[in-house]
Amino acid sequence: AKGDGRSCFRFFEPEMDVRMQLRRGLETDLRQALAAAEFELFYQPILDVGSRAVTSFEALLRWRHPERGLMPPDRFIPLAEETGLIVPIGEWVLRAACAEAMRWPAHLHVAVNLSPTQFASRGLLEAITGALAASGLAPHRLELEITETVMLKDSEATLSTLHRLKAIGVRIAMDDFGTGYSSLSYLQRFPFDKVKIDRSFIRNLGQTRESGAIVGAVVDLCAGLGKGATAEGVETPEQLEELAAKGCREVQGFLFSRPCPAAEVAGLLDRLRSW
Ligand code: C2E
Ligand code: CA
Ligand code: CA
Ligand code: CA
């Protein structure tokens, strides 16, 4: 009815405005989250197919929001990208991941995701050398995962950044390979150490002939170029079997473990030893 005033009006507010408000609230919260130490890294193991040994852990960001609970990265990283907050957040991630890796057996590597904005930011090299120096982690134990979006922007600048990163001694992986605008020429042009085959190709392994053909081709291509290949999103023994048959060397996925808090890494290593 007409005289119901504000509250009634608000109820009928277009969904767009409600989302804008939620977003603005989230942005304010995001600005404070670093200072309030609300971010946390979870770790997911990556295993060697032949020996079944853990070779590394991927650090995956979580936000313990005081009201909204544990938030996965897809819920706040796009906003962090848009606002540029991803740069200081990403710096925190680098420092936290390197420090954590120092507590693990020395043969284990840690993989950190870099967003396109962070990759293009001026302080990137300093952020990485700073995190390595502060933690004492050997550079070869740090692996940076970047997506192909990075390559689309300015390939000259990207190439020079990648070469400077290689000079520091860190390793570089192309993440989510096969999605978006992936071009095979990127593999030749940019100095990647390894390729992470997107889980959309792993999902149908053993079910469709096509997915097997694609994964097999990517694995062979990587081998031919002297790069490693890691399959993401391995969930079933059948997928693992087919990946092994195709010569894929590294696997990651819920079959072995979900991402877990840092405190559970030691227990996880124990459990996976007898896997
Ligand atoms: P990503 O780099 O492709 O990370 C792998 C995602 O797949 C993770 O989701 C992981 O939990 C999930 N995953 C792993 N194994 C399986 C599986 O067997 N099945 C299924 N269905 N999923 C699996 P998560 O942790 O939610 O991260 C999502 C994305 O957020 C990441 O995708 C990455 O792009 C981004 N991200 C995470 N942490 C960071 C960070 O510190 N910085 C930046 N810039 N991005 C991050
Ligand atoms: Ca990744
Ligand atoms: Ca990925
Ligand atoms: Ca992804």
Side-chain angles (χ1 to χ4, degrees), residues 27-47:
E27 186 177 334
T28 310
D29 292 350
L30 196 57
R31 288 189 187 283
Q32 292 156 359
L34 261 184
E38 288 168 2
F39 290 117
E40 187 176 331
L41 290 177
F42 275 34
Y43 295 90
Q44 187 181 34
I46 298 169
L47 288 85

Side-chain angles (χ1 to χ4, degrees), residues 93-191:
V93 169
L94 279 164
R95 287 184 170 257
C98 290
E100 197 58 43
M102 283 298 284
R103 307 158 63 109
W104 307 340
H107 66 278
L108 294 177
H109 300 222
V110 65
V112 170
N113 292 284
L114 294 188
S115 82
T117 305
Q118 190 187 3
F119 186 84
S121 69
R122 274 199 292 137
L124 177 72
L125 275 302
E126 288 77 6
I128 288 160
T129 51
L132 290 169
S135 61
L137 190 75
H140 76 270
R141 292 182 64 193
L142 175 62
E143 189 166 282
L144 304 172
E145 298 193 357
I146 61 175
T147 56
E148 63 211 354
T149 353
V150 159
M151 263 77 55
L152 287 173
K153 287 193 170 159
D154 175 353
S155 59
E156 283 311 315
T158 298
L159 195 57
S160 111
T161 303
L162 287 176
H163 282 300
R164 274 184 288 161
L165 289 172
K166 296 285 298 178
I168 294 172
V170 299
R171 305 201 307 170
I172 301 164
M174 185 192 268
D175 206 354
D176 299 348
F177 184 76
T179 59
Y181 300 92
S182 274
S183 152
L184 294 181
S185 69
Y186 291 158
L187 284 185
Q188 192 181 26
R189 180 139 192 254
F190 298 100

Side-chain angles (χ1 to χ4, degrees), residues 44 58-62 73-74 77 86 93 113-115 145 175-176 199 232-235 253-254 259:
Q44 187 181 34
E58 179 175 0
L60 294 158
L61 188 59
R62 301 289 182 264
D74 294 338
I77 284 194
I86 193 67
V93 169
N113 292 284
L114 294 188
S115 82
E145 298 193 357
D175 206 354
D176 299 348
R199 75 164 178 268
E232 300 186 316
V234 181
E235 294 182 351
F254 294 171

